[in-house]
Amino acid sequence: MKVVYFITASKEGKGGHYHSLNETAKIFNKYEDIEIISIGVNRSPVLDHFDDKYTHLTFKNILSTSLRALEIVRKKKPDVLHAFDINSFYYARIISIITNTPVLITLCGGKNPKFFPFSHEIVLYSLENLKFIEKKNKFKESNLSLIPNRASATQQNNSNIEDIKRNLKTDFPIVLRIARFSSLHEDSILQSIKLVEFLRNEGVETQLLVVGYVKDKKIFEDLSKYQSEYITFITDEKYTVKASQLIDIADFVVGTGRGFMEAALLGKTMLAPTSNIKTPIVVNQENVSLVSDTNFSNRYFEKRPEKLIMDEILKTFSSKDKENLIDFAKENFSSEKIYDKYLPIYLRAKTAKILPLDIAYQIAIIIRPKEKLRSVFKKFRYLSYSGH
């Protein structure tokens, strides 16, 4: 089998769905022939290790970019095309129609989208997204596959870990948060800061390490005021490109999405942000299934009283016996199962359906400023993506 993967390349090329594609392609590359095409601003450093199996197309205009992608696919002659975001699915679906090649799309977690294109095969990472999509009449012909984000126990970079440790408190437990300094992760970083402040106020000595590149300078500046001898930010590219190789520095990890899964697979004591508690909550055997429904994001709403949550945090950080989720993670998140889970989907995938309004909306997203979309497509909104 030959698989061509598509992804949209942002300026940084380091977001979670790049790592998700990386893990999927890495596993399939062991058994099948693969090619990766990224389209957009810059090559992704996450995908560079694929060497000649990775092609980046700098976006010029939608026509020339489509033709260049079509040329690669015609040379490769794949059995299936697999897109990892909405914009890249536009190119995959057009090429699917032209070449009669089956196609599918993955919705890589995150909040429920206002628009999502039709595909006969859709892979979803979270139950939250699955419930949203399956309610839409637009997708009544689609096969929806819930396959939580897959990760592996990343080999650790002991040299980098030791470098960082030299600037940390040597005898205080470390709480690790790996996240970009951006609006998407601002709240989870702030919750991690409040966690350490709470613990220290209760007499539990601990420190926070936040590792991530700066996507939004204003947010980084706002959060930097919290830095102290107990709260450290690291933004050097040497450490942020493969930040998952630093997980072993931590005693506790505040995780979201695949970052949560990578740390859980390494046996760390886990916490996750919520939408309604000032600090992250402890994730254990009792609540891991509930928190995973929203892909361990801060969209999770904690129903238990806050006093109970804070008592649980104190108990967890004060106990010598640390609970981990390694067995749950191996069963539900391990990348070892990627091939067996995706192969049946690839085999039953179909050529893209010709849906002019759906395709037109995708084109508008790519070529027009997003703030203009409402006025351009207002009269088509109901037909295009309301699902009714």
Side-chain angles (χ1 to χ4, degrees):
M1 171 174 283
K2 297 181 181 179
V3 185
V4 172
Y5 296 99
F6 285 80
I7 193 167
T8 300
S10 65
K11 182 178 179 180
E12 298 86 7
K14 303 174 186 176
H17 68 307
Y18 297 97
H19 291 280
S20 297
L21 167 55
N22 174 57
E23 199 67 36
T24 304
K26 187 169 63 177
I27 296 298
F28 262 84
N29 194 36
K30 294 179 181 179
Y31 307 99
E32 311 289 355
D33 188 12
I34 67 115
E35 179 79 22
I36 298 172
I37 300 174
S38 65
I39 298 170
V41 183
N42 294 319
R43 288 179 66 87
S44 169
V46 176
L47 303 173
D48 263 337
H49 68 93
F50 284 101
D51 299 323
D52 60 347
K53 293 191 175 186
Y54 171 35
T55 301
H56 174 70
L57 302 178
T58 302
F59 179 83
K60 295 181 178 178
N61 60 66
I62 198 165
L63 178 58
S64 66
T65 304
S66 298
L67 291 174
R68 285 184 290 156
L70 175 61
E71 182 181 2
I72 294 171
V73 171
R74 279 181 165 159
K75 287 181 180 178
K76 191 69 177 177
K77 297 180 181 178
D79 298 290
V80 66
L81 311 174
H82 185 175
F84 270 72
D85 58 72
I86 293 174
N87 280 11
S88 68
F89 181 69
Y90 163 76
Y91 300 99
R93 84 193 300 188
I94 292 299
I95 293 171
S96 170
I97 293 168
I98 294 172
T99 63
N100 196 33
T101 306
V103 66
L104 67 143
I105 182 173
T106 290
L107 175 53
C108 296
K111 64 182 181 180
N112 292 324
K114 293 181 179 180
F115 164 79
F116 197 75
F118 175 84
S119 176
H120 289 105
E121 296 291 338
I122 302 174
V123 175
L124 305 110
Y125 283 173
S126 71
L127 185 62
E128 173 190 26
N129 292 154
L130 174 65
K131 289 181 177 178
F132 174 78
I133 293 293
E134 68 184 2
K135 289 179 182 178
K136 303 293 184 180
N137 288 336
K138 172 181 176 177
F139 302 105
K140 63 184 179 181
E141 297 179 19
S142 301
N143 291 315
L144 307 180
S145 301
L146 178 61
I147 305 178
N149 199 350
R150 296 279 148 178
S152 59
T154 310
Q155 183 175 351
Q156 298 298 283
N157 189 323
N158 294 321
S159 176
N160 281 354
I161 288 173
E162 290 304 315
D163 284 348
I164 294 171
K165 276 187 173 181
R166 293 189 186 99
N167 297 311
L168 301 178
K169 294 285 185 180
T170 57
D171 51 353
F172 290 170
I174 297 171
V175 178
L176 175 66
R177 176 73 182 110
I178 296 174
R180 303 185 299 279
F181 287 92
S182 66
S183 58
L184 181 63
H185 298 294
E186 180 182 16
D187 191 56
S188 69
I189 295 173
L190 188 57
Q191 285 188 37
S192 302
I193 292 169
K194 297 301 181 184
L195 170 69
V196 169
E197 289 181 346
F198 165 73
L199 287 166
R200 291 186 54 75
N201 287 337
E202 294 293 326
V204 181
E205 296 289 8
T206 189
Q207 59 189 317
L208 173 66
L209 174 64
V210 183
V211 180
Y213 68 91
V214 179
K215 185 172 183 179
D216 188 313
K217 290 184 179 179
K218 177 64 166 59
I219 288 173
F220 177 74
E221 291 170 358
D222 290 343
L223 291 173
S224 289
K225 66 183 180 183
Y226 293 101
Q227 287 194 90
S228 68
E229 57 181 322
Y230 304 103
I231 297 173
T232 303
F233 294 169
I234 292 181
T235 60
D236 191 319
E237 188 173 13
K238 174 182 177 182
Y239 304 109
T240 61
V241 170
K242 296 181 179 179
S244 61
Q245 294 181 347
L246 304 175
I247 292 171
D248 265 349
I249 199 172
D251 302 281
F252 306 88
V253 175
V254 178
T256 57
R258 69 174 296 105
F260 184 102
M261 298 170 192
E262 288 169 337
L265 283 165
L266 286 170
K268 300 301 177 181
T269 300
M270 300 303 304
L271 299 96
T274 73
S275 62
N276 63 315
I277 304 293
K278 64 183 179 182
T279 71
I281 62 169
V282 175
V283 183
N284 50 34
Q285 299 293 341
E286 286 70 40
N287 66 354
V288 62
S289 294
L290 289 173
V291 186
S292 69
D293 287 350
T294 52
N295 203 28
F296 304 103
S297 73
N298 59 1
R299 295 185 303 280
Y300 176 73
F301 183 87
E302 177 55 66
K303 296 180 180 179
R304 293 175 296 166
E306 185 166 342
K307 175 65 167 58
L308 181 63
I309 298 301
M310 306 316 287
D311 288 345
E312 188 175 54
I313 289 172
L314 282 174
K315 180 180 177 181
T316 299
F317 277 77
S318 301
S319 174
K320 293 182 180 179
D321 298 322
K322 306 303 182 187
E323 183 175 357
N324 65 63
L325 299 168
I326 193 166
D327 291 336
F328 182 91
K330 285 181 177 178
E331 178 63 28
N332 293 275
F333 309 137
S334 175
S335 61
E336 294 175 3
K337 300 188 177 184
I338 282 178
Y339 186 79
D340 291 338
K341 287 183 175 291
Y342 277 89
L343 186 60
I345 299 172
Y346 288 170
L347 291 174
R348 71 170 183 245
K350 299 179 181 179
T351 301
K353 195 174 184 179
I354 301 176
L355 298 172
L357 288 177
D358 209 48
I359 294 172
Y361 198 89
Q362 276 202 282
I363 294 173
I365 291 174
I366 295 171
I367 66 175
R368 296 182 66 90
K370 290 183 179 180
E371 59 270 17
K372 295 182 179 180
L373 290 180
R374 286 197 183 97
S375 60
V376 174
F377 282 92
K378 186 175 181 180
K379 59 183 169 182
F380 296 128
R381 186 182 299 270
Y382 182 85
L383 292 173
S384 176
Y385 65 91
S386 70
H388 296 289

